[in-house]
Amino acid sequence: MEELRVAAIASLAPLEDLDADPFAVDTRGQYAVCARWAAERGHVVIKQLLVYGLRADHCGFWSDIDAARVDLFVAANQRVLARALRCVEEFTAECERRGIRLETAGHEEPRYTSGMKAEVHRRLSMPTAGYDGT
């Protein structure tokens, strides 16, 4: 199995959405799903992209592709892609035009307990205090 270099796409969501949609807020959870998908295939995540409503042609996506440092993109699921990108169809078309694979991990989202939600809240509400979530 060929080891490919993966850029994992996660989407931003406001902390206020934590109760209604914790996975959308939990970028670490999104990255973990992508990393699991990559590891199952013998690939390695070398870049994490954290975006919201980005255009398909934004250089943040393509600089590592153009420099041959990234071989494919993966997102946890279609919902994450829809939030991360301004237009999923345009991004998909750009990937096809450039010959770059775009995958969705498709793994089930974690079921968030109140403790897990509290952990996400704590991590995201105190980043300037040096708290790293551990």
Side-chain angles (χ1 to χ4, degrees):
M1 190 180 306
E2 180 183 1
E3 180 181 89
L4 297 177
R5 297 159 300 169
V6 177
I9 299 172
S11 67
L12 288 170
L15 189 55
E16 293 81 31
D17 290 352
L18 184 60
D19 283 330
D21 193 357
F23 189 67
V25 176
D26 183 12
T27 55
R28 278 193 187 173
Q30 294 174 39
Y31 287 135
V33 166
C34 293
R36 181 173 144 210
W37 177 90
E40 288 171 350
R41 287 155 181 76
H43 306 331
V44 61
V45 174
I46 63 156
K47 180 141 187 137
Q48 296 178 342
L49 301 166
L50 180 59
V51 297
Y52 175 76
L54 215 54
R55 292 185 341 258
D57 63 349
H58 192 279
C59 65
F61 290 122
W62 305 109
S63 61
D64 287 318
I65 297 291
D66 293 341
R69 290 187 292 259
V70 169
D71 301 308
L72 68 99
F73 294 108
V74 67
N77 56 36
Q78 282 296 124
R79 195 164 50 84
V80 168
L81 272 179
R83 186 180 292 263
L85 303 168
R86 183 176 293 170
C87 179
V88 173
E89 293 79 14
E90 287 177 10
F91 187 73
T92 301
E94 185 64 16
C95 287
E96 288 174 3
R97 186 183 76 74
R98 292 173 177 255
I100 300 299
R101 286 176 35 203
L102 171 61
E103 302 283 346
T104 52
H107 292 297
E108 191 171 316
E109 295 179 14
R111 297 192 191 281
Y112 287 82
T113 65
S114 59
M116 292 167 70
K117 288 180 186 179
E119 165 73 24
V120 172
H121 187 276
R122 204 171 22 259
R123 185 175 71 242
L124 295 177
S125 63
M126 299 190 330
T128 58
Y131 182 71
D132 67 358
T134 55

